[in-house]
Amino acid sequence: MSKGLGAGPATVVLVSGSGTNLQAIIDQVQQGHLRVRLVAVLSDVPDAYGLQRAQAAGIPTVTVNYKAYPDRPSAERALAAELAAIDPAIVVLAGFMRILPDAIVQAYQGRMLNVHPSLLPRFRGLHTYERVLEAGDAWHGTTVHFVVPELDAGPAIIQYRVAVKPTEDIASLRERVQRGEYLVYPQAIGWLASGRLTLRDGQAWLDDNPLAAPVQVDEAH
Ligand code: GAR
């Protein structure tokens, strides 16, 4: 029997922290709703809780502890070597908080997805919840996108939107947005795994139609 969890294209998930998105993906695979084989979970943080989630699900884990390397390029070379050894068809960034070097991004172009907690192109980078509350925006949410060398700039595939309530704080907003991530991220991964979703000429295509705008899902009331 092959190693990992599930059946389908070999998929590696990269995490730096809690791994609640990883858990949502594992759940979908275990329930038979998502056809991928989770061959490894890789983390840059040795005690990331996501690694424990992977172990509990029987998925092999790999750690590339960036802090144990003399400099960032050597850590990145180690990461590239681990990924090459895993040889995944699909790379899923799920709360992976390192910027990947262009060489790695290019090696998996069209096969690497990320989930970012904002309605891209609004609020690339960090602290999106603080920034959206400060800006007083009416809407916030999360975006699944293809990864390209420019940070958080790849073609958007699906967005989940929540209306920002007047009484909102960072924790309540994050909770609602992450609930959406657990829906839309497995969905997008499934599209990619089944061949329905592709990256062509710098654009996301779904079912042979270019996505002029990401598929939009709004929080149910
Ligand atoms: C997710 O909400 C994801 O959107 C965010 O990190 C969280 C990880 O949570 N990603 C980024 O901020 C990437 N720039 P998780 O570890 O519980 O899945």
Side-chain angles (χ1 to χ4, degrees):
M1 219 177 93
S2 45
K3 272 200 291 182
L5 177 73
T11 300
V12 60
V13 183
L14 273 59
V15 301
S16 297
S18 156
T20 60
N21 275 279
L22 167 66
Q23 190 63 57
I25 294 163
I26 289 172
D27 292 348
Q28 291 294 303
V29 171
Q30 283 175 334
Q31 290 162 23
H33 302 311
L34 176 57
R35 227 190 97 74
V36 295
R37 185 160 61 91
L38 297 172
V39 290
V41 169
L42 188 153
S43 183
D44 59 314
V45 178
D47 61 355
Y49 188 63
L51 292 170
Q52 290 185 42
R53 296 180 189 273
Q55 280 153 13
I59 305 164
T61 59
V62 179
T63 302
V64 177
N65 181 5
Y66 270 48
K67 292 189 177 150
Y69 290 86
D71 51 30
R72 185 167 145 181
S74 25
E76 290 173 346
R77 277 195 295 275
L79 181 68
E82 292 291 357
L83 283 175
I86 296 165
D87 192 25
I90 294 174
V91 179
V92 171
L93 308 184
F96 186 70
M97 302 309 282
R98 300 272 177 184
I99 296 172
L100 292 170
D102 289 3
I104 293 184
V105 171
Q106 271 149 11
Y108 301 100
Q109 192 98 288
R111 303 188 285 138
M112 186 188 284
L113 301 181
N114 182 41
V115 65
H116 177 79
S118 77
L119 298 172
L120 290 172
R122 199 132 171 80
F123 306 124
R124 292 176 184 169
L126 296 174
H127 309 301
T128 60
Y129 297 101
E130 288 88 332
R131 288 156 69 199
V132 75
L133 291 176
E134 206 160 292
D137 288 11
W139 293 89
H140 192 46
T142 192
T143 306
V144 178
H145 64 94
F146 279 110
V147 178
V148 299
E150 193 185 340
L151 183 68
D152 299 331
I157 298 155
I158 186 167
Q159 287 187 326
Y160 180 90
R161 297 197 318 165
V162 307
V164 180
K165 296 174 183 165
T167 54
E168 204 89 64
D169 61 19
I170 291 171
S172 68
L173 194 53
R174 178 184 288 118
E175 211 232 287
R176 291 166 61 213
V177 166
Q178 286 190 330
R179 254 180 230 277
E181 293 186 330
Y182 309 150
L183 299 175
V184 298
Y185 208 9
Q187 167 94 76
I189 295 163
W191 287 338
L192 185 65
S194 66
R196 290 181 60 189
L197 173 70
T198 52
L199 178 68
R200 282 184 240 165
D201 304 326
Q203 203 169 6
W205 291 63
L206 185 61
D207 294 331
D208 286 318
N209 300 308
L211 285 176
V215 175
Q216 196 159 297
V217 179
D218 285 353
E219 184 182 46
H221 292 286

